[in-house]
Amino acid sequence: MSCSLKNGSELPALKFNKKPTEMGRREFMRSGAALATITLAPGVTLMAFGGKAEANANPATRWGLLVDTNKCTPDCDACVTACSTENGWKDTGHPETDAQWIRKVDLVDLATGRETSLPVMCQHCENPPCVDVCPTGASFKRADGIVLVDKHICIGCRYCMMACPYKARSFVHEPLTGQKSYAPRGIGTVESCTLCVHRVDSGRIPACVEACDAIGHRALIFGDMNDPESDIAKRLLAYPSLALRDDLGLNPGVRYTSL
Amino acid sequence: MQRTIYREIKLTPQIIQLAVLLVVFILAAGGAELYIEEYGHIVTGMTNQIVWGLPHVFAIFLIVAASGALNVASIASVFGKSPYKPLARLSGLLALALLAGGLAVLVLDLGRPDRLIVAMTKYNFVSIFAWNIYLYTGFFAVVGIYLYVQMERGISPSVVKVVGTAAFLWRLALTTGTGSIFGWLVARDAYNSAIMAPLFIVMSFAFGLAVFILVVKSICGLTGRAFGARLLHRLGRLLGIFVAGVLFFVAVQHLTNLYSAQRIGVERFILLSGGIYTQLFWFGQVLIGGIIPLVLVYHPTGGAKPASILTASALVIIGGFAQLYVLIVGGQAYPLDIFPGFAASSSFFDGQINTYTPSLPEILLGLGGVALALALTGFGMKILRILPTTLSDVNVDPLNNSGKGA
């Protein structure tokens, strides 16, 4: 299994998940995911990132994203559109309360005037403050570094939103319909970028990365930062990069170059 | 001097009218909660930028005031100040009622209040929020026992002192926990500080005593019980000490932040350019909630007048709400600085001052919490022997004719 990346290069095989194929009925019933299934709207049954999502994680892996801000253009929001389409969050005309799992941020260097544009999403920290503060444990980090919200035990206190240094989380302020079965969402709960965990667990790359590749910008590199043969690990080794709010010591899984 | 006799309050037309009014507020809050739950938090003023709003201001005020309301009992049984002893039962009851009111608002504002059972059964022990759940439930238990040992005949004063000391230590832990909800937010310059814990403790002393003074004076007035002017003066001067303490900690908090270049931005926002937050800080928190009450209670001639102390108490409460509004909402209104050294902009309001206007359901929910606290206090006084038949100076402090010494 391999994943196409920029210039036709390929990520090394994703070793963590030997059999990421669809689960059978019996397997599903046996799994913890059966317990973590909830009907959020008529006819829509959603999994809520319970035991199954965590069970897929390989502790030897650290999934990460590298954002090359030199290749990210201010007028492009393909990654945002792709995430919205993939995960079902959208603009409802209420910008202050609408969820945004990923956003484009335009920056102007106050000292030099240099302009930069880049995407910001959940940074999938190694030491996530959202996980620390969550009273019920709904915010959790998988063994492979992906930070998720278990929608079954999120009580909607929003303390994780207070704690997140990146403003990466959104609270669902309105009733929802038409959720995707692989991207659980529900009114009164908090949500954020899942690093497209449903795709990753089946050996694919996140929708934002795929979209960025598709239009030829190739500003997003996804992969296993623990695998020295992976493209992301090689680039992190070869070029300087930084983490947002590095002073907080959170060791995010999302890194930025040329910032 | 008569022996202190505690009696249930009797229902007078005035008390019944007040009870009906409180029930109306409680029902309105219930309606507001159902409305929010039906339509989602979109019907509130809260957003993905200001995630905690007016309900949290009310909830945290009530929770902080709850632990402070217990002070009068603590002063009596832990520190042995006998003039406060007749007030100790009411102090404990009011503490429980205020905490119940605050927690009700906090819980009903949750995105999923129907999942309260989840909050009670699943704990992340790293979370100070989860620790607070233990501190709150423990407070009910400890103060409940404290009330029991005060009211039960034949229990030794030494036992009351031991239980009172436990309750006093617990309330210190509780307010430390509440302050740390903000103090441990490492990413937000407006909050992250160890001073939040002692600041919240001294805030609780002031807010709780101010609420206590108004409640006890009101209920004595409504039930025709005497309330000694010297006792009120004593409580007023104690309030002054706590108010001065709040001002001191607030000054240290902001001076410390001003010394850090990283925090100049948020300090400038709160102290100078923050519009409503700046006005609430200087006029609401500092002037109305701090300086004027100090002048009122320590004025050489007017300080002993009941009107001065009651006015000071009301102003401390107003200032307390202003302080928590500035802290909670103002702290979020100032944008997170994710990119130091850059000007940021986005469709998600990066780099912008965030706006917030409380909606009617939020206001009703908050007021409902206050009404619930007062109603529970009244109900407790109706069914239990909480309030002495008289709180005249002759009764509570026969040896101290000068009225000095808090």
Side-chain angles (χ1 to χ4, degrees), chain A residues 29-52:
Chain A
M29 293 302 288
R30 274 201 302 262
S31 75
L35 292 173
T37 301
I38 187 170
T39 302
L40 292 178
V44 182
T45 302
L46 304 176
M47 282 191 297
F49 291 140
K52 186 67 183 177

Side-chain angles (χ1 to χ4, degrees), chain B residues 29-116:
Chain B
E33 200 287 317
L34 290 174
Y35 180 64
I36 294 171
E37 196 168 352
E38 175 68 17
Y39 293 97
H41 275 64
I42 186 117
V43 299
T44 72
M46 290 176 278
T47 63
N48 281 325
Q49 288 69 48
I50 306 285
V51 303
W52 285 356
L54 195 64
H56 301 82
V57 172
F58 272 96
I60 292 169
F61 180 90
L62 290 169
I63 291 168
V64 165
S67 55
L70 191 66
N71 271 350
V72 173
S74 301
I75 293 168
S77 46
V78 180
F79 300 104
K81 298 282 187 184
S82 58
Y84 294 95
K85 206 166 180 183
L87 298 170
R89 295 182 183 185
L90 177 60
S91 166
L93 173 66
L94 185 61
L96 292 176
L98 288 169
L99 184 62
L103 289 181
V105 177
L106 202 60
V107 166
L108 293 177
D109 178 73
L110 291 175
R112 296 296 303 264
D114 54 312
R115 290 183 179 170
L116 181 60

